[in-house]
């Protein structure tokens, strides 16, 4: 336990001198006064504070006078962008602090507004973000350019969309003339669509993803969307486009593609103080049948669990919006409360219902041999070995608006799974396992360290049979790195009272028919590479099928994140707040890839 902590401390101590640590950067304080306009004063102050958080050039200045000159230029540019073309800014430095005095002068307003473009296109343009009499605000002027570009992209077939503007300032009137201009361009439609550079991927598979057909209205936005869909197949490393010269009102489009290497070998290592060091190795082929089918083989080994799993993913299974995944897995678990060996075969079809909603249905057959602890077997007055042939039909629904899979900073997810089980060898063993998981993420990007508040709620219920009649490896358990940090894996939940030689004690966890978990994290980004986390986890498992969020065991801790290009590397240390004597350790350590949730 001590060695990883010591090594982490040494790594951090040797890395810190090379890092720019934001909370040690100190800029001189400032005051800002705007003559006769309190609202403008607050706006300028807010913009200057934002600048101080994000401008690396500003942070390189040490002399307050250099800072003042740099920020004065920024304030003058900002005032002009807001329409104050006669404003002046003065700065003074006293005792290391800066005072800015601003005289804004009159605010220039739009005297005339015109749009130069063909009459046939202008009829449906509608309103722009500004009109005659409005202040000449740069942000709204540029928004007008984008509004016209978007209108033309949606309603015209122009080969080139080039929108510019000209603002003529009239100082004597504190006014301006604003003109938008659309450069002339021919209307064209799509002729032929070509794919070049493919070696192993079937062209028909990628062509279907383009969603571009001969005769379609030419639209560069649709071409860019087609390029993005090609890259998202994970089969293409680059996709460039070439548009021919117009002929007969048509243009040909050529996509020049470069395929990615389709095979990947991966190795991984992780550590938790409750399970020890773990290793993983994997191999995948992302184009095994030439149409984006992916086969993946992965092995994971740690002192308590060993698995070997193979999975085939077939995209566009009978529909553009459906995927098929089929898997086979060998597993061996050696837990405190049970030992389980299993062979699992399964297949699932997932259908994308909308941008954020996905539904799935599947079938799974699991052959397992489960040996419960001797204490539990004695309490049941039954053999400790059980063989099961569990057939299940998992039904799932997921709603996901998060921005990233392994490091979400905004959005939310709702995941529901209903899984009926029947034991083919003993049809009286029939039960339904229901699991609901909610997560939410909110980031204050304008604040220092860009804090993210992350929340996870999980609840589960098993109904149909008594707790101890459910296979031990299918019951709910709480505790561990993906559950309640600070407690050992599966250490929370119901236990039996065991009597021996006149003394009573608690058995190992037996699992339950209900589960409640709650996790809250505050995530902070100290630099591009380094971050930190404060967290609080609560959870418990129950013998009765009724989750109760009022009877939770709590754990708290902190962690360090090193952000890689793929996902953050996570190091957490957690402490049990409801420590049980002779059961719970003083703390637990977790090292892995990706956020906790």
């Amino acid at each position: 336990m001590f060695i990883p902590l010591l090594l982490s401390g040494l790594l951090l101590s040797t890395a810190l001198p090379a890092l720019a640590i934001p909370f040690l950067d100190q800029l001189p304080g400032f005051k800002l006064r705007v003559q006769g306009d309190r609202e403008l004063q607050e706006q300028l102050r807010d913009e200057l504070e934002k600048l101080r958080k994000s401008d690396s050039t500003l942070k390189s200045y040490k002399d307050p006078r250099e800072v003042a000159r740099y920020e004065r230029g920024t304030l003058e540019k900002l005032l002009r962008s807001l329409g104050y073309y006669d404003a002046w800014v003065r700065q003074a430095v006293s005792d290391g602090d800066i005072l800015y005095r601003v005289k804004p002068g009159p605010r220039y307003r739009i005297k005339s507004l015109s749009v130069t473009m063909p009459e046939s296109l202008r009829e449906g343009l509608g309103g722009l973000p500004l009109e005659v009499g409005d202040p000449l605000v740069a942000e709204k002027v540029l928004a007008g350019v984008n509004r016209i570009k978007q209108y033309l992209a949606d309603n015209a077939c122009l080969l080139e969309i080039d929108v510019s503007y000209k603002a003529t300032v009239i100082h004597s009137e504190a006014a301006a003339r604003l003109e938008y201009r659309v450069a002339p361009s021919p209307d064209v439609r799509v002729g032929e669509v070509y794919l070049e550079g493919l070696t192993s991927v079937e062209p028909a598979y990628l062509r279907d993803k383009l969603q571009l057909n001969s005769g379609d209205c030419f639209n560069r936005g649709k071409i860019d969307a087609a390029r993005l869909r090609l890259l998202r197949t994970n089969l293409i490393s680059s996709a460039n486009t070439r548009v021919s010269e117009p002929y007969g009102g048509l243009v040909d489009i050529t996509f020049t593609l470069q395929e990615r290497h389709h095979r990947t070998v991966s190795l991984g290592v992780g550590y938790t103080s409750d399970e020890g060091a773990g290793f993983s190795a994997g191999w995948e082929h992302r184009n095994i049948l030439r149409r984006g089918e992916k086969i993946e083989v992965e092995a994971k080994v740690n002192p308590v669990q060993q698995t070997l799993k193979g999975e085939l993913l077939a995209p566009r299974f009978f529909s553009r919006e459906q995927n098929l995944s089929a898997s086979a897995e060998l597993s061996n678990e050696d837990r405190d409360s049970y030992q389980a060996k299993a062979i699992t075969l399964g297949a699932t079809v997932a259908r994308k219902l909308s941008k954020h909603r996905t539904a799935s249905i599947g079938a799974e057959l699991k052959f397992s041999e489960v040996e419960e602890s001797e204490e539990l077997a004695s309490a049941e007055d039954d053999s400790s070995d059980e063989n099961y042939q569990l057939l299940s039909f998992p039904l799932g629904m997921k709603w996901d608006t998060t921005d990233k899979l392994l490091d979400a900073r905004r959005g939310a997810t709702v995941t529901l799974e209903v899984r009926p089980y029947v034991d083919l060898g003993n049809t009286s063993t029939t039960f339904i396992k229901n699991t609901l998981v909610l997560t939410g993420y909110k980031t204050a990007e304008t604040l220092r360290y860009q804090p993210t508040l992350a929340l996870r709620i999980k609840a589960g219920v098993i109904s149909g049979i008594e707790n101890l009649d459910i296979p031990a490896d299918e019951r709910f358990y709480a505790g561990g790195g993906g559950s309640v940090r600070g407690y050992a894996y599966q250490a929370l939940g119901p236990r039996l009272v065991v009597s021996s030689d006149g003394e009573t004690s608690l058995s190992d966890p037996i699992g339950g028919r209900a589960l409640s978990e709650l996790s809250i994290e505050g995530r902070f980004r100290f630099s591009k590479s380094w971050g930190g986390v404060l967290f609080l986890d609560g959870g418990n498992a129950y013998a009765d099928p009724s989750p109760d969020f009022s009877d939770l065991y709590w754990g708290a801790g902190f962690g360090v994140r090193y952000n890689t290009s793929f996902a953050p590397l996570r190091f957490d240390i957690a402490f049990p707040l409801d420590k049980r004597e002779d059961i719970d350790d003083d703390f637990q350590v977790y090292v892995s890839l990706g956020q906790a949730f």
Side-chain angles (χ1 to χ4, degrees):
M1 212 88 67
F2 173 76
I3 293 176
L5 291 174
L6 177 60
L7 289 176
S8 299
L10 289 174
L11 289 173
L12 287 173
S13 64
T14 56
L16 285 177
L19 296 173
I21 305 174
F23 45 81
L24 296 182
D25 295 336
Q26 294 294 332
L27 291 171
F30 76 91
K31 293 182 180 179
L32 191 148
R33 296 174 183 169
V34 177
Q35 181 178 326
D37 194 330
R38 178 60 66 87
E39 183 178 347
L40 178 60
Q41 177 175 297
E42 295 299 322
Q43 185 177 1
L44 293 177
R45 179 183 289 113
D46 291 344
E47 292 296 330
L48 200 54
E49 288 177 346
K50 291 179 184 178
L51 172 76
R52 288 184 165 214
K53 295 174 183 176
S54 60
D55 195 315
S56 57
T57 302
L58 179 60
K59 293 177 182 179
S60 68
Y61 293 132
K62 305 301 181 184
D63 190 332
R65 290 171 295 182
E66 294 179 336
V67 174
R69 283 194 294 269
Y70 185 87
E71 290 184 333
R72 173 187 173 182
T74 300
L75 288 171
E76 289 174 341
K77 293 176 183 177
L78 181 58
L79 284 162
R80 286 194 296 272
S81 73
L82 295 173
Y84 297 97
Y85 285 86
D86 295 334
W88 60 257
V89 181
R90 300 291 183 268
Q91 81 273 17
V93 179
S94 176
D95 297 328
D97 291 335
I98 308 172
L99 172 63
Y100 297 105
R101 292 186 177 89
V102 179
K103 184 178 180 180
R107 196 173 196 184
Y108 285 46
R109 296 183 177 275
I110 298 173
K111 182 178 181 179
S112 63
L113 175 61
S114 61
V115 180
T116 302
M117 62 189 301
E119 288 293 334
S120 59
L121 295 176
R122 189 167 53 185
E123 293 177 357
L125 176 59
L128 294 174
L130 32 62
E131 57 187 21
V132 173
D134 288 347
L136 184 63
V137 178
E139 184 178 3
K140 289 190 175 182
V141 172
L142 295 177
V145 171
N146 293 330
R147 170 71 180 84
I148 296 172
K149 285 183 176 180
Q150 187 61 52
Y151 167 75
L152 294 175
D154 294 339
N155 297 277
C157 305
L158 299 181
L159 180 61
E160 300 289 347
I161 298 178
D162 182 5
V163 181
S164 61
Y165 71 91
K166 181 180 180 182
T168 305
V169 176
I170 309 171
H171 289 280
S172 60
E173 302 179 24
R177 296 188 180 94
L178 180 60
E179 179 186 7
Y180 291 104
R181 298 172 178 174
V182 177
S185 179
D187 273 359
V188 293
R189 293 189 172 272
V190 177
E192 297 296 328
V193 180
Y194 301 101
L195 297 178
E196 296 181 350
L198 294 178
T199 57
S200 62
V201 182
E202 284 192 12
Y205 170 68
L206 295 182
R207 188 178 295 277
D208 190 46
K209 289 192 171 293
L210 297 177
Q211 299 180 24
L212 289 173
N213 301 302
S214 297
D216 287 352
C217 178
F218 181 82
N219 186 303
R220 291 193 181 271
K222 291 182 178 180
I223 296 176
D224 291 339
R227 291 180 61 246
L228 183 59
R229 284 192 291 270
L230 291 175
L231 295 173
R232 284 179 174 171
T233 63
N234 211 21
L235 303 175
I236 305 298
S237 61
S238 67
N240 299 314
T241 57
R242 185 174 67 251
V243 179
S244 72
E245 292 295 322
Y247 63 94
L250 300 175
V251 290
D252 296 335
I253 304 172
T254 301
F255 290 84
T256 303
L257 310 177
Q258 182 173 350
E259 292 188 19
R260 294 186 61 181
H261 295 295
H262 300 313
R263 299 172 181 83
T264 300
V265 175
S266 61
L267 296 173
V269 61
Y271 175 79
T272 63
S273 51
D274 54 357
E275 292 189 332
F279 303 90
S280 65
W283 174 87
E284 73 173 23
H285 192 310
R286 291 178 292 275
N287 191 39
I288 191 71
L289 300 177
R290 297 175 56 87
R291 296 180 61 86
E293 297 88 353
K294 182 175 75 171
I295 187 169
E296 182 176 7
V297 180
E298 184 179 32
K300 295 182 179 180
V301 177
N302 64 42
V304 298
Q305 185 176 26
Q306 304 84 43
T307 63
L308 175 63
K309 182 177 182 179
E311 183 174 17
L312 172 67
L313 175 64
R316 307 173 70 82
F317 182 70
F318 289 113
S319 170
R320 178 180 295 173
E321 303 299 333
Q322 287 184 173
N323 295 329
L324 168 69
S325 62
S327 63
E329 180 177 7
L330 299 174
S331 64
N332 179 57
E333 291 184 88
D334 188 1
R335 305 292 180 185
D336 290 338
S337 52
Y338 65 86
Q339 292 181 337
K341 299 177 182 178
I343 300 175
T344 306
L345 307 173
T348 300
V349 176
R351 182 177 180 86
K352 195 172 184 65
L353 303 179
S354 67
K355 180 180 180 180
H356 301 299
R357 291 183 299 133
T358 303
S360 62
I361 183 171
E364 182 181 277
L365 182 58
K366 179 179 179 182
F367 302 92
S368 62
E369 179 182 325
V370 181
E371 180 180 350
E372 302 202 56
S373 66
E374 294 182 2
E375 295 173 341
L376 182 56
S378 299
E380 293 181 270
D381 193 23
D382 197 0
S383 171
S384 62
D385 291 345
E386 291 285 353
N387 293 316
Y388 298 96
Q389 304 169 37
L390 292 178
L391 176 64
S392 65
F393 298 94
L395 306 173
M397 179 69 73
K398 184 173 184 179
W399 178 75
D400 188 348
T401 63
T402 55
D403 56 338
K404 294 181 181 179
L405 177 63
L406 296 178
D407 187 16
R409 303 189 67 194
R410 64 185 64 86
T413 68
V414 179
T415 304
L416 173 65
E417 183 182 69
V418 178
R419 185 184 284 254
Y421 284 87
V422 60
D423 187 352
L424 300 181
N426 180 7
T427 55
S428 63
T429 303
T430 303
F431 57 97
I432 301 176
K433 190 174 184 178
N434 308 283
T435 309
L436 175 67
V437 182
L438 313 175
T439 65
Y441 310 88
K442 180 67 175 179
T443 298
E445 297 186 359
T446 60
L447 297 181
R448 198 171 181 86
Y449 313 136
Q450 300 180 13
T452 297
L453 178 64
L455 173 69
R456 181 182 73 99
I457 300 173
K458 182 177 181 179
V461 173
I462 300 176
S463 60
I465 57 177
E466 293 300 317
N467 189 34
L468 297 182
D469 292 331
I470 302 169
D473 58 341
E474 293 295 343
R475 299 173 198 151
F476 287 119
Y477 300 84
S483 176
V484 184
R485 285 164 287 186
Y487 300 88
Y489 183 74
Q490 295 188 348
L492 300 177
R495 296 168 182 254
L496 295 177
V497 177
V498 179
S499 299
S500 177
D501 298 328
E503 295 184 0
T504 60
S505 62
L506 293 177
S507 70
D508 292 324
I510 62 172
R513 290 190 291 169
L515 176 72
S516 301
E517 291 180 356
L518 173 65
S519 296
I520 302 174
E521 284 195 349
R523 303 171 183 172
F524 307 90
R525 298 176 71 90
F526 298 140
S527 69
K528 183 178 181 180
S529 298
W530 290 98
V533 171
L534 299 174
F535 58 84
L536 176 69
D537 295 341
N540 203 358
Y542 311 89
D544 295 327
S546 54
D548 185 355
F549 282 90
S550 65
D551 185 20
L552 304 181
Y553 287 88
W554 293 94
F558 58 90
V560 176
R561 302 290 183 269
Y562 179 76
N563 298 308
T564 69
S565 59
F566 174 66
L569 181 64
R570 175 166 68 104
F571 175 90
D572 288 342
I573 181 168
F575 307 89
L577 301 183
D578 301 303
K579 183 182 176 183
R580 299 162 296 179
E581 292 297 327
D582 301 324
I583 295 180
D584 300 318
D585 294 328
D586 292 333
F587 63 91
Q588 299 283 348
V589 175
Y590 310 93
V591 181
S592 65
L593 190 66
Q595 297 285 7
F597 60 90

